[in-house]
Amino acid sequence: MEIGPIWRALTRNKTGAILIALQIAVTLAIIVNAVAIIQERSRLMARPSGVDEPNIFYLSSIGFGDDFNERVTIQEDLDAIRNTPGVVNAIQSNSVPLRGGGWSMGLQTEPGSESESSGVAVYFIDEHGLDTYGLELVAGENFTAADVNWREPQAVEWPDKVLLTQAMAETLYPDGFMEALGNTVYINGNEPMTVTGIIKQMQAPWNGWNGVERVMLVPQHTLFGSTRYIVRTEPGQRDRLMPEIEDMLAERSRDRIIRGMTTMEETRERSYQGDSGMVGILIFVVSLLTAITALGIVGLASFSVSRRTRQIGTRRALGATKPAILRYFMTENFLISIIGVLVGAALAIGLNMWMVQAFSLTPLGWYLVPVAMVLLLIVGQIAVLGPARRAASVPPAVATRTV
Amino acid sequence: MFSYYIKLGWLSIRRNPILSILMVSAIAVGIGACMTVLTVNYLMSSNPIPHKSDQLFYVQVDSWDPNGFDENTEPVDQLTYIDAMNLMKAGKAFRQVASNRSGLVLEPSSEDERPFLVDARTTHADFFPMFDLPFLYGAGWDKSADDAQEQVVVLSREINERVFGGEDSVGKRVTMNGLNFRVVGVIDEWMPVPKFYDVTNGAFNLPEDVYIPFSVGVANQLSRNGNTNCWKEPDGEGFEAFLAGECVWIQFWAELRNEQEKEAYMSFLNAYAEEQKALGRFPRPLNNRLRNVMEWMEHQEVVEEDAQVMLWLSMLFLLVCLLNTIGLLLAKFLGKAGDIGLRRALGATKGTLFIQHLIESAMIGLAGGVLGLGLTWLGLKGVQRLFGDFLTHLATMDWVMVTTAIGLAIVSALLAGLYPTWRACNIAPASQLKTQ
């Protein structure tokens, strides 16, 4: 290979080469970091909520007026919904995973205000709760109808029984979640609750919370004026049933408003809107940037070819073959790109270290840098191919002409 | 001479159309990306009430849990009912407002229209003059209405349109949650971005639909739609116990017109905290804060971290586009070496050549800037589509952004043109003439 002469030729006219190398370097730094962010967000979005998302929807019913009897309405509504053909099950609850708004409390294994308590998301359910959400009970037993009571708006008492997720049980009993079963945990510092069952997995309503899988299920109906029904349908029946159930509930009473009809799928979409938006933008940025850099390479290479037309002609006249000319430009680009990606690798890692510190991002996966380096080298070679072929087709006779 | 250079520049741009298009679009794309992100950041961090943002203070008195306290712990971000009412009663500031987010069911008078939900703010009389709400009809209520728990309401423009068809509804009645309210005012379009007066419940939410006296909200136990936090359970059941407990759910603002008033208010707050300590509350050490609007926005980190990451990435993006332009301009100007040599030989000074080529660069920058503005507009539309409602009010452009975009484009193009121009001017005429 004629790396020596190509290198020496480069060093005599280095500004253009330095510019391209710099451009490649910054491009690499951006691409690597953008992809790292994309990966991080995709991982976040891939976490399961634990519930049967495709078949669940929910809605709010807000009572008003003096004639509104909330307790009766809730019981009758639930009966009516559960008896609708196509509905698997339904409950009243305060929230669903990913919704963004919910209730949290603290649980501790020892009573007293001195003990450290762990935050936990609260879902109020009844004996149909596990079936409605589609949760898996790994130990203990479900609530029975007798366990479920009614909660007034400013109540401070809690029921005796509670179900925990595996993650919450492990937080309280680090030796193993099974230890939680049958044990007493304390809410509000010293009010005891017995753990009667353990759920495999379920997310809290806040996907950004670091304890997102810490959940407790409490056997209570709530009388808060505004209530939420969660409905699970048979596969494929959801979209048909949504308007049907909305109409049915609206018909049943004039003293309330039915609103906020939402599917779990919409909830997931909205919950991760910021993340998926960021991913979209970054993918766009990465593609655009690669294209711009490639075009820059094409532009500069074309110029250098047209400036060197006579030189190329002379080389051809002196016996250089077409492939030799092609190889010359390809090698030249390769040398420039190698410098670019090496500088870029350092830049990418530096930028990442800074962003990890400034914006609490997760550090790069080690393989991203080499993969991006190889990719940019290939892009460079493809970009320079056109101008290089034009160079190779310069006829030797050019050498004899005075331009 | 200037117009002649423009003509020369135009000829030169036309001579290599593909290269010129490449340069213009590189600048345009860089400007477009940068300005899109810059606009979002600029609006997120903009001052929602510039003429008095340094006179409005968010009040924090620390009533919170002593566990886990160290000297860096910030006071809790909202107030308890007890503290909010005590501070209101003391009335030590020029104006003061305790407010909370609520929701009401509005029942239209006609039978065929179904009731609907409205976002409500329960607040005090000073809210309207303090935050300078623009009134379409009527005005806010008086302090006496706060004390007498009068059922009065100020409507937003949209609700007035929906319920009263947009006419002057002052004095009319509207039923909400079964209560009969008298309309005292209708406000015009009012959209503070960020929604500084209640950052806790979403800095980019829309303002509320209706405003009613705080005392009416409490007397009727209206629902709290905002964030409520308690560090210990209330002693006993029921709403009274909740009000008397250590739960924070109220935002409190004070208007203090100068430094003396601020200092006086701060010492009042500290004295108040000591007083409460004597009563057995406020277990933490003295930890009160007064922050003006912009300090409060900054402390609450209103600008999303994602937006900041994007800002840095977009700056680097613009850098790549500029490197691209420098390379292309360099190639282009050196390609004109023959011309330049000839003009030098005919008597053009380096200075005139320098200006000539800078003008050519600026023309490319201008074109890139205008195209970039178009791309920014597209970019903002795209951002809006990707992020949904949350960004609707953040993705608009004003003249500041337009001039910034064009200015940034021209400055970047000039910077990009400097080195190539300098190289071009230093071409020795003799060597060029020889080869011709």
Side-chain angles (χ1 to χ4, degrees):
Chain A
M1 284 291 269
E2 44 297 76
I3 289 181
I6 296 176
W7 179 255
R8 279 194 293 281
L10 261 182
T11 51
R12 302 201 56 186
N13 201 344
K14 48 188 176 297
T15 327
I18 291 176
L19 285 171
I20 285 285
L22 261 182
Q23 201 177 330
I24 292 176
V26 179
T27 304
L28 184 91
I30 299 180
I31 288 182
V32 166
N33 281 284
V35 172
I37 297 175
I38 292 174
Q39 284 183 325
E40 188 187 8
R41 299 304 162 97
S42 309
R43 257 197 309 272
L44 281 183
M45 291 193 286
R47 293 174 305 177
S49 66
V51 306
D52 180 18
E53 285 182 32
N55 300 314
I56 293 179
F57 69 90
Y58 58 93
L59 62 143
S60 298
S61 152
I62 298 136
F64 60 92
D66 299 332
D67 304 336
F68 183 72
N69 185 329
E70 194 174 7
R71 191 181 286 220
V72 173
T73 310
I74 289 171
Q75 279 167 328
E76 289 180 357
D77 283 348
L78 282 177
D79 282 343
I81 299 174
R82 283 169 188 159
N83 288 328
T84 308
V87 170
V88 173
N89 216 331
I91 52 164
Q92 180 211 16
S93 185
N94 56 321
S95 193
V96 295
L98 301 172
R99 202 180 67 87
W103 191 325
S104 78
M105 291 298 296
L107 288 183
Q108 56 203 62
T109 50
E110 299 293 332
S113 58
E114 282 74 42
S115 304
E116 197 76 7
S117 74
S118 310
V120 60
V122 182
Y123 292 107
F124 297 99
I125 62 167
D126 60 21
E127 72 276 15
H128 299 278
L130 298 192
D131 190 30
T132 305
Y133 280 127
L135 302 174
E136 190 189 327
L137 191 72
V138 289
E141 52 198 35
N142 191 5
F143 299 128
T144 63
D147 295 327
V148 183
N149 59 27
W150 295 86
R151 186 179 187 87
E152 299 284 340
Q154 255 80 34
V156 292
E157 301 281 315
W158 289 83
D160 305 331
K161 292 187 179 178
V162 63
L163 300 182
L164 299 182
T165 54
Q166 209 169 304
M168 185 60 200
E170 253 159 36
T171 307
L172 292 172
Y173 298 93
D175 297 341
F177 66 89
M178 281 306 286
E179 259 185 63
L181 192 65
N183 245 320
T184 304
V185 293
Y186 297 86
I187 194 165
N188 280 342
N190 39 30
E191 199 182 332
M193 295 175 98
T194 310
V195 181
T196 55
I198 291 174
I199 301 299
K200 187 150 195 278
Q201 190 247 340
M202 183 182 191
Q203 280 189 336
W206 318 276
N207 70 52
W209 182 35
N210 58 10
V212 67
E213 303 222 327
R214 301 213 299 256
V215 167
M216 67 189 258
L217 302 172
V218 177
Q220 276 185 323
H221 285 297
T222 54
L223 296 170
F224 297 170
S226 161
T227 181
R228 185 166 282 115
Y229 296 126
I230 322 289
V231 183
R232 183 185 183 189
T233 67
E234 282 162 13
Q237 302 287 308
R238 187 193 68 196
D239 296 339
R240 177 180 68 79
L241 282 168
M242 281 173 68
E244 202 177 295
I245 286 181
E246 181 168 13
D247 287 347
M248 179 194 76
L249 291 178
E251 284 304 307
R252 288 175 47 82
S253 162
R254 283 273 308 174
D255 293 338
R256 56 120 164 255
I257 297 175
I258 299 292
R259 67 192 293 273
M261 179 68 87
T262 318
T263 65
M264 268 313 289
E265 277 170 355
E266 285 164 357
T267 309
R268 167 170 285 275
E269 214 169 277
R270 202 163 13 170
S271 171
Y272 287 116
Q273 199 163 42
D275 295 310
S276 64
M278 186 90 169
V279 167
I281 288 184
L282 288 177
I283 289 176
F284 184 69
V285 163
V286 167
S287 347
L288 201 61
L289 204 53
T290 316
I292 287 178
T293 305
L295 284 179
I297 293 173
V298 172
L300 275 182
S302 305
F303 244 89
S304 100
V305 169
S306 60
R307 265 165 52 88
R308 289 191 231 166
T309 307
R310 273 182 35 168
Q311 184 198 336
I312 297 165
T314 311
R315 281 195 61 200
R316 293 277 284 127
L318 290 177
T321 58
K322 281 189 175 189
I325 301 293
L326 192 72
R327 206 162 57 231
Y328 178 91
F329 282 97
M330 304 287 276
T331 314
E332 188 186 63
N333 171 269
F334 191 76
L335 287 177
I336 297 171
S337 303
I338 276 280
I339 296 172
V341 293
L342 284 176
V343 175
L347 247 152
I349 293 168
L351 181 65
N352 187 253
M353 276 159 58
W354 176 74
M355 289 217 292
V356 166
Q357 207 181 31
F359 302 113
S360 58
L361 298 178
T362 44
L364 285 176
W366 63 270
Y367 55 91
L368 280 182
V369 176
V371 168
M373 286 169 78
V374 171
L375 274 179
L376 275 183
L377 284 177
I378 294 173
V379 168
Q381 291 288 291
I382 294 173
V384 85
L385 196 59
R389 279 165 73 171
R390 220 155 353 104
S393 63
V394 170
V398 170
T400 62
R401 290 182 209 147
T402 44
V403 183
Chain B
M1 255 353 226
F2 186 70
S3 59
Y4 177 60
Y5 288 152
I6 289 185
K7 198 174 144 201
L8 278 183
W10 175 237
L11 283 176
S12 157
I13 287 171
R14 280 215 347 223
R15 192 158 43 176
N16 306 79
I18 295 184
L19 201 69
S20 305
I21 289 175
L22 216 61
M23 283 191 281
V24 169
S25 36
I27 292 188
V29 167
I31 293 292
C34 225
M35 288 311 295
T36 304
V37 180
L38 212 59
T39 305
V40 173
N41 269 273
Y42 161 78
L43 288 169
M44 275 184 172
S45 56
S46 62
N47 188 337
I49 181 160
H51 54 289
K52 61 195 297 193
S53 67
D54 51 351
Q55 293 173 26
L56 301 177
F57 291 87
Y58 191 78
V59 177
Q60 289 169 280
V61 291
D62 203 355
S63 57
W64 213 242
D65 193 351
N67 280 342
F69 179 87
D70 65 54
E71 65 266 36
N72 297 323
T73 312
E74 281 289 327
V76 63
D77 60 348
Q78 301 181 98
L79 294 197
T80 64
Y81 178 73
I82 303 175
D83 296 325
M85 289 306 105
N86 284 342
L87 296 188
M88 279 309 293
K89 213 171 295 162
K92 294 285 187 201
F94 173 59
R95 290 186 178 118
Q96 52 250 303
V97 157
S99 79
N100 172 242
R101 188 176 154 209
S102 181
L104 296 168
V105 176
L106 195 151
E107 300 164 51
S109 46
S110 75
E111 269 301 306
D112 13 292
E113 234 189 301
R114 289 197 67 85
F116 61 94
L117 276 190
V118 289
D119 274 327
R121 179 149 294 269
T122 64
T123 185
H124 286 88
D126 277 346
F127 187 85
F128 306 98
M130 189 159 156
F131 297 141
D132 274 336
L133 274 76
F135 273 89
L136 202 57
Y137 306 116
W141 57 80
D142 293 333
K143 285 200 173 72
S144 57
D146 281 329
D147 300 335
Q149 299 177 14
E150 262 178 66
Q151 289 173 6
V152 288
V153 60
V154 169
L155 302 179
S156 73
R157 191 189 169 125
E158 280 115 62
I159 292 297
N160 189 52
E161 232 137 71
R162 183 160 174 187
V163 179
F164 296 107
E167 57 171 6
D168 183 352
S169 58
V170 173
K172 298 212 163 136
R173 297 275 167 178
V174 30
T175 309
M176 293 186 292
N177 277 39
L179 304 169
N180 197 320
F181 285 89
R182 179 168 54 87
V183 179
V184 291
V186 176
I187 52 174
D188 205 349
E189 214 58 58
W190 186 58
M191 184 96 68
V193 176
K195 186 183 173 186
F196 65 97
Y197 60 89
D198 186 3
V199 179
T200 315
N201 294 311
F204 301 105
N205 284 355
L206 293 177
E208 286 76 11
D209 300 317
V210 302
Y211 303 82
I212 60 169
F214 191 86
S215 53
V216 174
V218 171
N220 295 287
Q221 307 192 4
L222 297 183
S223 69
R224 303 175 311 279
N225 282 8
N227 200 324
T228 302
N229 277 316
C230 311
W231 68 271
K232 62 181 187 193
E233 273 306 289
D235 301 327
E237 308 253 327
F239 194 68
E240 290 303 317
F242 167 75
L243 290 183
E246 296 292 349
C247 297
V248 297
W249 52 286
I250 298 168
Q251 299 95 42
F252 197 98
W253 285 88
E255 181 172 349
L256 306 165
R257 288 165 297 180
N258 50 46
E259 201 53 38
Q260 287 89 328
E261 284 191 5
K262 186 191 167 190
E263 270 163 32
Y265 201 74
M266 193 66 209
S267 41
F268 158 68
L269 288 180
N270 289 338
Y272 171 76
E274 293 295 351
E275 202 178 288
Q276 292 298 311
K277 277 177 187 296
L279 294 171
R281 294 180 66 226
F282 286 47
R284 283 182 177 182
L286 212 53
N287 191 28
N288 303 325
R289 298 276 192 287
L290 277 178
R291 288 191 167 96
N292 71 27
V293 174
M294 293 317 276
E295 288 165 351
W296 179 237
M297 299 295 106
E298 196 173 313
H299 173 251
Q300 290 290 87
E301 295 175 353
V302 160
V303 180
E304 301 267 320
E305 208 162 71
D306 277 3
Q308 292 177 40
V309 173
M310 290 308 298
L311 187 62
W312 283 101
L313 287 183
S314 72
M315 295 284 187
L316 285 176
F317 193 114
L318 183 62
L319 178 67
V320 172
C321 295
L322 286 185
L323 285 173
N324 204 320
T325 311
I326 297 177
L328 295 177
L329 272 179
L330 185 68
K332 180 164 182 176
F333 287 172
L334 291 184
K336 290 202 310 185
D339 279 15
I340 296 170
L342 190 61
R343 290 202 56 209
R344 285 291 312 276
L346 292 177
T349 62
K350 279 189 182 182
T352 51
L353 279 169
F354 192 79
I355 291 175
Q356 183 204 330
H357 287 95
L358 268 193
I359 287 177
E360 192 179 329
S361 313
M363 285 170 71
I364 291 171
L366 188 68
V370 172
L371 193 61
L373 263 187
L375 290 181
T376 307
W377 185 79
L378 278 181
L380 287 174
K381 289 276 157 221
V383 164
Q384 233 172 69
R385 171 166 293 188
L386 283 174
F387 289 91
D389 310 339
F390 151 71
L391 271 177
T392 318
H393 315 290
L394 291 177
T396 51
M397 287 185 81
D398 56 14
W399 62 271
V400 179
M401 295 320 276
V402 171
T403 37
T404 316
I406 304 238
L408 188 64
I410 294 179
V411 168
S412 349
L414 285 180
L415 281 179
L418 273 183
Y419 178 72
T421 308
W422 180 73
R423 283 283 300 268
C425 299
N426 279 314
I427 290 167
S431 68
Q432 292 303 319
L433 293 174
K434 240 185 286 173
T435 54
Q436 291 293 317

